[in-house]
C-alpha cells in the first residue's frame, strides 16, 4: 500500500481551543489561490489537551468540519504532537501524523553492543564523504562512536514508538516525524547523517525531522541569534537530507521541520532561498500563534472582548511563575518590562493590539507581554465557557486576524515566494 505523503510544504497549525480550524484553512486556501499547495497539519500536544481539558478527538472533529465546510480538496492531517510511548495511545484513533519526541532519551548512553553493531554496519560514516551542497565532510570511528552513544538510544526509542503506532494503525496510514530539537547543542552534518542512518536501520520511514538549530526559538517572537550561522546550518541540513534520502532509502518526501517556527520573520528569507536552491520541502510548526490572534481579535473588537483580554492578561501576570515554568527554555521575559494590570486596564483597543501584535517596527510592540500571553492560554482555559462564548460573539474579528496572520506573515513570505 502506498504510504501517506505529506507534500512539499506543510504548516503545523495549533488551535488551542478548537475554534479556528476554518480560519486557519482559509490561509491555506489563499496559498492555493496563489499557486502553492500548503498542507495543513492540526497539531496539539498531550500537555495542551491536559491544560485545556480537551480530547484528541476534538482536534480531528474541528479539522474534519473545516475541510468539509470549505470543500478543501487536498490532503490534511491531525498531529499527535510531541508524543512518547506513555502518551501515544490516546491519540491513535484520531491522528494520522505522529511527532515522536525523543528529547528525554538524547544523551542516555546506548548499549555498547548496539554501538558496535552500528559501527560495523556504517563504515561510510567513519571516513570522508562528499555531499552535494556541503562538500567534503570527514569523521572517524571515535567521533561516530561518541555520536552514536549520544543519539542511538533516542533513535531506538523512536523505533519503539513508531512500531507501536504501526501495529495499531498500519504503516501506510500515518506520517512520522521525529523531534530532535529539544537538546542543548545543535547537530552538525555528521551527527544528523548518523541519526538518519540509525532511523533507517530502525525501519522508521521518517518524513519530517526536527533538528536542533543554534540561537533562540522563543515562543511567538522572532529568532534571536546569528543569522549567518543559522543559514549555514539550515543549508547543511537540507544537503544532508538530500544525501540520506538516496543513501539510506528514506522516503523521498523526507524534509526538515522547524519547531516554534511561528514569527521567525528574520529567518523566512533565509529559508526561502535555501528551499529554492535545494528544491526542498519544509514543515513549519506555528503552534500558539492562533491563540494570540484570538486575543488580538477580542481586544480589537472592544467592549466585552477587550475587557476579557485585559482580564486574561491580569491573571497571567498574577500567575507568571506557574505559567512560565514549563516553557522556561523557550521564553525570555524581562519582568520589569511587563506592564502592570492597572496600566493595561487603562489601554484602548488600539493600545492593547499594538502591544500584542507581532509588528517589530511598531514602538508599542511588547515582546515580553506577548511571550507571557503566549504561555498564558491556561488562564483562558480556566475561564471556560466565558472564553468560548467570547470567541463566538466576536467571531468575525477573531477569524480575520487568524487568517491574515497565517497567510500574510507566515505562508506568503515563506512558501508563496518559494514556489
Amino acid at each position: 500500500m502506498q504510504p501517506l505523503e505529506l507534500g512539499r510544504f506543510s504548516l503545523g497549525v495549533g488551535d488551542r481551543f478548537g475554534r479556528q480550524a476554518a480560519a486557519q484553512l482559509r490561509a491555506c486556501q489563499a496559498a492555493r489561490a496563489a499557486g502553492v499547495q500548503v498542507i495543513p497539519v492540526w497539531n496539539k500536544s498531550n500537555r495542551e489537551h491536559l491544560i485545556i481539558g480537551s480530547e484528541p478527538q476534538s482536534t480531528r472533529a474541528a479539522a474534519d468540519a473545516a475541510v468539509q465546510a470549505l470543500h478543501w480538496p487536498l490532503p490534511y492531517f491531525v498531529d499527535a504532537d510531541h508524543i512518547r510511548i506513555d502518551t501515544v495511545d490516546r491519540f491513535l484513533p484520531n491522528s494520522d501524523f505522529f511527532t515522536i519526541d525523543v528529547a528525554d532519551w538524547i544523551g542516555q548512553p546506548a548499549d555498547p553492543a548496539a554501538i558496535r553493531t552500528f559501527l560495523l554496519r556504517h563504515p561510510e560514516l567513519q571516513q570522508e564523504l562528499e555531499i552535494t551542497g556541503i562538500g567534503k565532510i570527514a569523521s572517524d570511528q571515535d567521533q561516530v562512536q561518541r555520536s552514536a552513544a549520544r543519539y542511538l538510544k533516542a533513535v531506538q526509542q523512536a523505533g519503539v514508538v513508531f512500531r507501536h503506532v504501526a501495529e495499531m494503525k498500519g504503516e501506510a496510514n500515518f506520517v512520522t516525524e521525529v523531534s530532535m530539537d529539544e537538546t542543548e547543542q545543535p547537530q552538525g552534518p555528521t551527527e544528523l547523517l548518523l541519526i538518519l542512518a540509525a532511523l533507517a536501520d530502525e525501519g522508521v520511514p521518517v518524513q519530517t525531522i526536527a533538528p536542533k538549530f543554534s540561537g533562540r526559538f522563543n515562543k511567538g517572537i522572532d529568532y534571536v541569534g546569528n543569522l549567518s550561522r543559522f543559514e549555514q546550518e539550515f543549508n547543511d541540513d537540507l544537503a544532508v537530507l538530500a544525501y540520506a534520502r538516496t543513501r539510506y532509502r528514506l522516503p523521498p518526501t523526507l524534509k526538515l521541520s522547524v519547531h516554534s517556527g511561528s514569527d521567525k520573520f528574520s529567518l523566512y528569507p533565509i529559508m526561502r532561498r535555501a528551499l529554492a536552491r535545494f528544491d526542498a520541502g519544509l514543515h513549519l510548526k506555528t503552534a500558539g500563534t492562533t491563540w494570540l490572534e484570538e486575543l488580538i481579535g477580542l481586544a480589537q473588537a472592544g467592549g466585552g472582548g477587550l475587557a476579557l483580554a485585559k482580564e486574561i492578561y491580569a491573571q497571567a501576570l498574577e500567575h507568571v511563575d506557574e505559567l512560565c515554568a514549563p516553557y522556561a527554555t523557550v521564553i525570555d521575559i524581562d519582568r520589569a518590562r511587563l506592564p502592570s494590570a492597572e496600566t493595561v486596564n487603562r489601554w484602548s483597543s488600539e493600545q492593547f493590539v499594538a502591544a500584542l501584535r507581532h509588528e517589530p517596527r511598531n514602538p508599542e510592540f511588547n515582546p515580553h507581554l506577548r511571550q507571557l500571553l503566549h504561555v498564558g492560554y491556561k488562564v483562558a482555559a480556566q475561564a471556560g465557557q466565558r472564553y468560548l462564548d467570547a470567541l463566538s460573539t466576536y467571531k468575525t474579528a477573531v477569524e480575520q486576524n487568524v487568517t491574515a496572520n497565517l497567510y500574510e506573515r507566515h505562508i506568503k513570505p515563506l512558501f508563496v515566494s518559494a514556489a
Side-chain angles (χ1 to χ4, degrees):
M1 181 183 295
Q2 183 72 19
L4 290 179
E5 292 188 356
L6 186 55
R8 183 184 178 193
F9 299 140
S10 51
L11 188 71
V13 285
D15 188 8
R16 298 283 194 256
F17 297 96
R19 295 295 190 275
Q20 306 308 324
Q24 293 167 326
L25 189 56
R26 290 189 189 100
C28 294
Q29 285 184 318
R32 187 165 180 257
V36 182
Q37 293 186 3
V38 178
I39 303 303
V41 181
W42 279 276
N43 51 269
K44 194 168 181 178
S45 69
N46 189 63
R47 176 169 61 185
E48 290 159 6
H49 279 296
L50 292 175
I51 289 174
I52 299 297
S54 56
E55 293 292 333
Q57 189 278 334
S58 65
T59 307
R60 166 60 65 183
D64 288 349
V67 165
Q68 183 175 6
L70 298 181
H71 307 290
W72 177 251
L74 300 176
Y76 67 101
F77 296 87
V78 174
D79 180 9
D81 194 17
H82 285 284
I83 50 90
R84 304 175 306 188
I85 194 64
D86 59 328
T87 57
V88 64
D89 283 351
R90 70 186 301 216
F91 291 92
L92 289 172
N94 297 291
S95 295
D96 49 12
F97 187 117
F98 289 81
T99 297
I100 303 173
D101 187 341
V102 296
D104 291 344
W105 298 86
I106 294 174
Q108 291 196 23
D111 178 66
I115 295 174
R116 288 194 296 271
T117 299
F118 183 83
L119 290 172
L120 289 172
R121 184 177 292 150
H122 293 288
E124 79 283 357
L125 296 176
Q126 303 162 57
Q127 59 191 19
E128 187 175 83
L129 292 174
E130 180 80 25
I131 296 183
T132 302
I134 298 178
K136 294 180 179 179
I137 63 171
S139 189
D140 57 34
Q141 182 175 336
D142 288 343
Q143 290 174 304
V144 174
Q145 187 167 346
R146 287 194 298 271
S147 295
R150 177 168 176 76
Y151 291 107
L152 199 55
K153 196 163 188 176
V155 172
Q156 290 169 340
Q157 186 63 19
V160 169
V161 178
F162 166 76
R163 287 187 288 274
H164 178 73
V165 177
E167 182 180 357
M168 303 301 294
K169 296 186 71 73
E171 286 191 23
N173 296 322
F174 63 98
V175 169
T176 302
E177 172 172 306
V178 176
S179 171
M180 288 279 182
D181 65 310
E182 294 191 5
T183 183
E184 291 184 3
Q185 298 297 324
Q187 296 92 18
T190 56
E191 289 181 311
L192 182 58
L193 189 58
L194 178 146
I195 289 167
L196 292 169
L199 285 169
D201 291 348
E202 285 287 322
V204 178
V206 57
Q207 289 198 49
T208 77
I209 186 164
K212 170 72 174 179
F213 297 102
S214 61
R216 296 282 295 180
F217 283 75
N218 290 331
K219 295 290 186 180
I221 60 172
D222 206 350
Y223 173 79
V224 179
N226 186 311
L227 294 177
S228 296
R229 183 175 178 185
F230 172 83
E231 184 165 19
Q232 183 66 57
E233 291 173 353
F234 192 79
N235 277 269
D236 286 351
D237 287 349
L238 290 178
V240 167
L241 262 62
Y243 177 90
R245 282 194 295 265
T246 300
R247 182 68 186 249
Y248 301 117
R249 297 183 179 179
L250 289 165
T253 50
L254 172 63
K255 60 184 181 179
L256 287 179
S257 179
V258 177
H259 287 191
S260 295
S262 58
D263 298 85
K264 304 303 179 282
F265 302 144
S266 63
L267 299 184
Y268 295 163
I270 293 171
M271 291 192 284
R272 184 181 68 235
R273 291 193 299 268
L275 295 175
R277 184 180 305 117
F278 285 90
D279 192 25
L282 182 73
H283 182 60
L284 185 81
K285 281 197 173 180
T286 62
T289 292
T290 288
W291 139 248
L292 292 178
E293 294 303 318
E294 288 179 342
L295 276 184
I296 288 171
L298 293 179
Q300 198 172 55
L306 176 60
L308 181 56
K310 290 177 178 179
E311 180 183 330
I312 288 171
Y313 175 75
Q315 289 293 314
L317 189 61
E318 184 176 342
H319 297 278
V320 60
D321 291 328
E322 171 193 342
L323 295 172
C324 291
Y327 298 94
T329 60
V330 286
I331 54 175
D332 283 317
I333 296 176
D334 182 350
R335 298 191 186 190
R337 298 183 65 182
L338 291 172
S340 68
E342 292 76 16
T343 295
V344 171
N345 199 45
R346 294 192 295 268
W347 281 356
S348 65
S349 289
E350 292 76 15
Q351 287 174 302
F352 195 105
V353 169
L356 180 55
R357 178 176 281 156
H358 193 181
E359 293 180 344
R361 295 181 181 179
N362 186 339
E364 301 302 314
F365 170 60
N366 187 327
H368 309 281
L369 174 143
R370 181 175 172 86
Q371 289 178 89
L372 174 59
L373 285 173
H374 194 291
V375 301
Y377 63 94
K378 184 177 182 179
V379 176
Q382 291 170 340
Q385 195 60 44
R386 284 183 60 221
Y387 182 72
L388 299 180
D389 288 346
L391 293 182
S392 297
T393 300
Y394 304 104
K395 181 178 179 179
T396 299
V398 168
E399 290 189 349
Q400 286 175 348
N401 279 283
V402 170
T403 300
N405 173 64
L406 279 179
Y407 182 68
E408 296 294 340
R409 295 189 183 92
H410 294 83
I411 292 175
K412 191 174 179 181
L414 180 54
F415 295 125
V416 173
S417 300

